[in-house]
Amino acid sequence: MKYVEEIMEKVVKSNPGQKEFHQAVQEVLNSISVVIEKHEEEYRELKLLERLVEPERSHTFRVTWVDSNGKIQVNRGYRVQFSSAIGPYKGGLRFHPSVNQSIINFLGFEQIFKNALTGQSIGAGKGGSDFDPRGKNDIDIMNFCQSFIIELEKYIGPNEDVPAGDIGVGSKEIGYMYGMYKKLTHRYEGALTGKSLFCGGSLVRTEATGYGLAYIVEEMLRAKGEAISGKKVVVSGSGNVATYAIEKVTQLGGVVLTASDSSGYIYDANGIKVDILKEIKEVRRGRIKEYCDLVPTAVFVPDKKAWEVPCDIALPCAVQNELQIDDAKQLISNGCMTVAEGANMPTTPEAVSYLQDNGVMFMPGKAANAGGVAVSSLEMSQNGIRKNRSFDDVDNELKLIMKSIYTEVSQAAKEYGHEGNYVMGANIAGFRKVAKAMREQGNV
Ligand code: NDP
Ligand code: 2IT
């Protein structure tokens, strides 16, 4: 049996039922098998893949907290510290009722290759909880965040593990966690990123994932002699990533027709007005359909996905496996030419293959959404030397990072005879860096 097949079997056996984790590992193994074949004997000897798919450490913990009605609540907390081959564990925290070990493992595994692609010295981790922040008041959110970090504090630190946000965790939640971290450790240090500017955060971190996504799409199009300007763009989600992707795509001259949440999507033929979107989502913390109250020409389409809207570019920015085979078929029949993942693994494997087979330029999340963690790393370095950088300075570095990710990904694909296959390129380029570091550090 081939080495990668043996590894896949082991992963399935030792992590039963973890379908999202299996999916993420399978995709990477499929891509890197061409590299493995070249070094098979050495990698087998080093047990390199066995080590790569096994988290260095994994924490689960009870989070008991008291809600605003004085009732005791219990949730489960997670932090998987997947790989420290190239730096301290780094990756977000997700608060969503769907969070389980499979989701955390898949996200932590993806983070290994994403973080390597940024060129920054950051290893990989991920965490979160099945806590549902939706509909909770500020007291509930603060009480939960404080109880969560009281446990997580034992495992994190600026040179050890540096969590940030993800679904359900933004600068507000990070602020509550940071306050309690400081109280527990009596240290003001960069143990969390995505902090607000008043707590040592970095300019551009809020915008970074969405802006970075737009920058890499611009690179993909530039390679074909095209640009975002004038293109019709369909976006899913209406959270942090979606909002700032919409903002930058619009600034670059694209027309964004949709935004969505789990109840449906809105369609605005004149282009989504990002100031109104921010008012609804960031100020009122409302639902996407409220956009139509403020923009009467827009329509809300309940229980449907935005992929049915004809477009040139599709940017899934919500959640894993939200773009499925039927959606891919619809996108193709409507003439879509470019798909880039703002979310983590939003496109199912069948949909990815279908898009690629039909000539769509497809950029996977571990490259396309790496701008967020890249700027998190810039936040860590600013905290380390206690010096803040300007918006333009960080934004320019983000652009350079996304450009260099594009170049590395496309060159790696070409080198292995799969020009234009950015899934292979991203996995190979990320894997090579981590594999080198693992080899050099010996059997740890
Ligand atoms: P937010 O919590 O800010 O927004 C999440 C959005 O996704 C909301 O619009 C939410 O709608 C929607 N959503 C969540 N779950 C579902 C679901 N099951 N079905 C349909 N829609 C859903 O999160 P972010 O914008 O930060 O994250 C979005 C994606 O981007 C995630 O995959 C995340 O892992 C990824 N990512 C985030 C980064 C960051 O810096 N924040 C960096 C890199 C990747 P609703 O309110 O209805 O749930
Ligand atoms: O998926 C991701 O890369 C994130 N949620 C951001 C992680 C980070 O540490 O900024």
Side-chain angles (χ1 to χ4, degrees):
M1 202 192 290
K2 279 167 75 175
Y3 186 26
V4 292
E5 288 167 6
E6 281 171 31
I7 294 299
M8 195 60 226
E9 243 182 38
K10 274 194 183 155
V11 168
V12 171
K13 207 169 153 206
S14 54
N15 303 278
Q18 295 193 17
K19 59 183 187 347
E20 292 85 3
F21 181 42
H22 302 167
Q23 182 182 333
V25 173
Q26 183 73 69
E27 185 214 273
V28 170
L29 292 178
N30 287 348
S31 292
I32 63 172
S33 67
V34 286
V35 186
I36 304 297
E37 276 159 21
K38 282 194 173 170
H39 305 272
E40 178 151 347
E41 209 175 319
E42 185 196 358
Y43 285 172
R44 271 187 188 274
E45 187 102 356
L46 290 172
K47 294 269 192 296
L48 197 108
L49 293 184
E50 284 85 342
R51 287 195 274 145
L52 190 74
V53 298
E54 186 68 29
E56 289 179 19
R57 203 170 299 102
S58 192
H59 305 283
T60 59
F61 46 93
R62 185 176 66 198
V63 185
T64 60
W65 57 285
V66 178
D67 71 17
S68 47
N69 296 318
K71 295 255 181 306
I72 294 174
Q73 303 287 347
V74 181
N75 286 93
R76 185 174 291 175
Y78 300 85
R79 185 72 182 169
V80 61
Q81 298 179 324
F82 227 112
S83 169
S84 63
I86 62 173
Y89 310 110
K90 182 83 197 88
L93 298 171
R94 177 177 291 192
F95 291 170
H96 193 272
S98 64
V99 165
N100 57 33
Q101 194 68 57
S102 175
I103 300 282
I104 298 300
N105 281 349
F106 117 66
L107 290 164
F109 186 71
E110 288 283 284
Q111 207 83 42
I112 302 175
F113 310 95
K114 180 194 309 194
N115 292 5
L117 284 172
T118 65
Q120 306 284 308
S121 296
I122 40 177
K126 199 84 190 189
S129 175
D130 56 2
F131 170 73
D132 187 357
R134 272 183 20 194
K136 299 282 196 302
N137 62 34
D138 257 20
I139 300 288
D140 289 333
I141 303 264
M142 184 176 73
N143 286 351
F144 176 79
C145 287
Q146 291 186 337
S147 297
F148 180 85
I149 202 76
I150 284 173
E151 188 63 27
L152 189 65
E153 178 272 325
K154 300 173 181 127
Y155 316 120
I156 65 174
N159 298 305
E160 187 176 354
D161 183 353
V162 185
D166 193 84
I167 291 178
V169 179
S171 64
K172 175 177 161 158
E173 291 75 18
I174 293 288
Y176 290 144
M177 288 191 260
Y178 191 58
M180 183 53 85
Y181 175 86
K182 187 165 60 79
K183 191 177 166 85
L184 291 166
T185 60
H186 34 93
R187 286 197 296 270
Y188 205 106
E189 58 188 14
L192 291 157
T193 61
K195 301 182 290 298
S196 93
L197 297 180
F198 311 106
C199 306
S202 173
L203 285 162
V204 194
R205 177 61 189 89
T206 304
E207 296 84 354
T209 313
Y211 277 22
L213 175 65
Y215 295 150
I216 205 164
V217 169
E218 195 73 321
E219 290 302 317
M220 292 160 72
L221 293 174
R222 198 196 316 277
K224 301 264 177 206
E226 297 196 38
I228 287 177
S229 183
K231 297 281 190 301
K232 287 193 190 120
V233 183
V234 161
V235 171
S236 67
S238 50
N240 172 267
V241 179
T243 300
Y244 291 94
I246 293 171
E247 180 165 280
K248 185 52 73 180
V249 164
T250 308
Q251 285 170 9
L252 292 170
V255 182
V256 182
L257 299 170
T258 64
S260 72
D261 62 23
S262 51
S263 54
Y265 74 87
I266 52 154
Y267 173 79
D268 187 343
N270 300 317
I272 302 286
K273 287 152 201 63
V274 83
D275 50 334
I276 293 180
L277 181 64
K278 285 184 190 171
E279 165 66 26
I280 293 162
K281 297 298 300 182
E282 294 178 356
V283 182
R284 297 187 193 177
R285 296 196 157 231
R287 307 296 295 156
I288 195 62
K289 70 172 177 216
E290 294 168 36
Y291 182 92
C292 302
D293 301 337
L294 301 178
V295 184
T297 50
V299 286
F300 175 63
V301 185
D303 303 322
K304 288 270 171 106
K305 296 195 228 170
W307 317 128
E308 63 186 19
V309 174
C311 64
D312 305 301
I313 301 169
L315 305 176
C317 296
V319 72
Q320 64 278 353
N321 293 327
E322 56 164 313
L323 199 166
Q324 298 171 352
I325 183 70
D326 289 343
D327 306 315
K329 287 181 179 165
Q330 195 150 22
L331 285 170
I332 296 286
S333 66
N334 286 334
C336 175
M337 289 307 297
T338 305
V339 176
E341 297 184 323
N344 285 307
M345 208 171 73
T347 318
T348 63
E350 301 74 34
V352 173
S353 301
Y354 188 85
L355 292 169
Q356 288 177 322
D357 292 348
N358 283 279
V360 163
M361 286 196 286
F362 178 86
M363 190 59 80
K366 55 175 74 75
N369 70 38
V373 77
V375 174
S376 273
S377 175
L378 304 183
E379 181 175 333
M380 287 163 71
S381 59
Q382 291 171 83
N383 291 164
I385 58 168
R386 302 209 188 286
K387 191 169 188 302
N388 297 333
R389 297 169 63 175
S390 71
F391 190 97
D392 285 349
D393 184 23
V394 179
D395 192 31
N396 284 334
E397 185 155 357
L398 171 63
K399 264 184 222 160
L400 290 175
I401 290 171
M402 297 315 294
K403 200 179 163 79
S404 124
I405 292 176
Y406 174 76
T407 308
E408 262 190 55
V409 166
S410 47
Q411 279 176 357
K414 202 168 165 185
E415 196 181 319
Y416 282 86
H418 293 270
E419 190 167 355
N421 186 335
Y422 301 133
V423 174
M424 287 192 74
N427 288 323
I428 290 171
F431 169 73
R432 282 198 302 206
K433 291 186 186 181
V434 176
K436 272 194 191 129
M438 287 173 75
R439 261 190 319 218
E440 287 174 14
Q441 289 171 32
N443 181 28
V444 290

